[in-house]
Amino acid sequence: MTPSSLHPARQLRQLLAAGPIVMAPGAPDALSARLVQQAGFPAIYMTGFGATATRLGQPDIGLLSQTEMTTHARDMVRAVQIPVIADADTGYGGPSNIHRTVREYVQAGVAAIHLEDQVAPKRCGQMAGIRLMDAAENAQRLRCALEARGSDELLIIGRTDALPAAGIDEAVSRAHRYQDAGVDLVFVDGIKKIAEVEAVARAVPGPKVVSIVDGNETTALTAAELQQMGFSVVFYAVTALFTAARATADALAALRRDGTPRASAGAQLTYAEFSELVGLDFHQDLDARFGA
């Protein structure tokens, strides 16, 4: 994939207009974002679940602040040339906080953010115990985010976590309400079953996001099938994170057992491959041309 010189938000808008579903694997950090780009995907999802895990080693229960999340997003955007879609949690407070959140993400260079309708402390959409904000109040908060965007091209995604907390009918109702508020896409999170994917696809028209979470039966659905259902974007939020954690745990267990990393050699990048991944050649060229 050849990186575009267009602003990431414009890139994402063009991808959505072109039609094929935008596959956006989750990246918990900037290194993972480079791997997503290297694999040829058109976009990256900056998952709050992964960001919390990699920065704090803690669960996604609202522990990261706005500043930490926007800094994480900025670092990720700098590492790649494809659009980053970022988790913006609940906006981190009232209307003024939402306004600042949007402006911070615009300045970070992300292509899109999603804002959810939970009350603090928020939690991952796959967890139990989600508490919902009043739908009308959240629609007003989304209108605030849209106004804060101004003339910038950042896409605003209205996310509802009503499915696990209040059922499919409430989730669909909120998705419609957030569409009426003017968001660019809607996102019903917390889906665990194929029947729930199908229900959202039938009941929610227009541009929409679906998240496929490893360990759920929804992984049986292909991107092509999700596109046929009418979804515009699909997140694979934890695939890279869970795979990397398992691979690291296995490698460390073998090292502890054997006293040598030889057993993991076939599963590793070489030093040269890793250097290429992180862009060492670029910096060596700078040193060659401008160094003392």
Side-chain angles (χ1 to χ4, degrees):
M1 175 176 296
T2 302
S4 172
S5 60
L6 294 174
H7 187 280
R10 177 65 64 86
Q11 289 184 55
L12 182 56
R13 289 181 182 276
Q14 290 189 354
L15 288 168
L16 292 169
I21 191 169
V22 176
M23 298 174 67
D29 53 30
L31 179 63
S32 302
R34 281 185 177 264
L35 287 166
V36 172
Q37 177 176 273
Q38 185 183 74
F41 289 96
I44 296 160
Y45 175 45
M46 191 201 91
T47 155
F49 185 101
T52 307
T54 55
R55 291 179 72 92
L56 301 181
Q58 297 286 332
D60 184 15
I61 51 173
L63 297 175
L64 287 183
S65 67
Q66 177 209 71
T67 302
E68 288 172 308
M69 286 288 282
T70 53
T71 298
H72 200 73
R74 187 173 289 108
D75 290 343
M76 192 173 290
V77 168
R78 286 171 177 163
V80 297
Q81 292 80 45
I82 59 175
V84 174
I85 302 169
D87 187 345
D89 295 321
T90 62
Y92 309 103
S96 294
N97 302 89
I98 292 170
H99 189 281
R100 183 188 170 205
T101 294
V102 171
R103 298 315 307 167
E104 290 284 347
Y105 273 111
V106 166
Q107 292 166 17
V110 302
I113 60 171
H114 65 68
L115 292 159
E116 62 204 54
D117 55 6
Q118 295 188 43
V119 297
K122 60 85 61 183
R123 57 190 62 217
C124 169
Q126 296 285 313
M127 293 180 183
I130 288 170
R131 295 180 299 137
L132 296 172
M133 180 177 295
D134 176 76
E137 179 183 356
N138 194 63
Q140 282 291 87
R141 293 164 65 84
L142 291 171
R143 292 185 182 98
C144 177
L146 290 163
E147 180 173 306
R149 174 178 67 184
S151 61
D152 289 292
E153 293 196 76
L154 176 79
L155 284 89
I156 304 292
I157 302 168
R159 167 177 152 178
T160 179
D161 289 84
L163 178 59
I168 187 65
D169 290 343
E170 180 64 17
V172 167
S173 173
R174 285 174 178 248
H176 290 165
R177 185 185 287 265
Y178 302 160
Q179 287 176 323
D180 290 343
V183 297
D184 299 289
L185 302 98
V186 288
F187 173 22
V188 176
D189 199 14
I191 287 175
K192 296 181 179 181
K193 298 180 179 180
I194 292 174
E196 294 169 341
V197 178
E198 294 170 338
V200 171
R202 285 193 304 268
V204 181
K208 50 188 172 288
V209 178
V210 63
S211 181
I212 301 299
V213 177
D214 298 74
N216 293 339
E217 66 178 52
T218 56
T219 56
L221 296 170
T222 67
E225 289 169 333
L226 294 168
Q227 179 178 324
Q228 290 175 352
M229 292 181 189
F231 290 98
S232 307
V233 179
V234 53
F235 296 153
Y236 299 94
V238 296
T239 301
L241 177 65
F242 286 3
T243 303
R246 169 53 64 196
T248 301
D250 289 348
L252 292 173
L255 176 60
R256 181 73 178 90
R257 181 189 67 237
D258 302 337
T260 171
R262 285 180 300 184
S264 304
Q268 297 176 1
L269 294 179
T270 65
Y271 190 94
E273 289 169 335
F274 192 86
S275 296
E276 181 180 2
L277 172 65
V278 296
L280 178 61
D281 287 351
F282 171 80
H283 298 283
Q284 287 178 327
D285 177 67
L286 287 179
D287 280 345
R289 292 187 293 119
F290 305 115

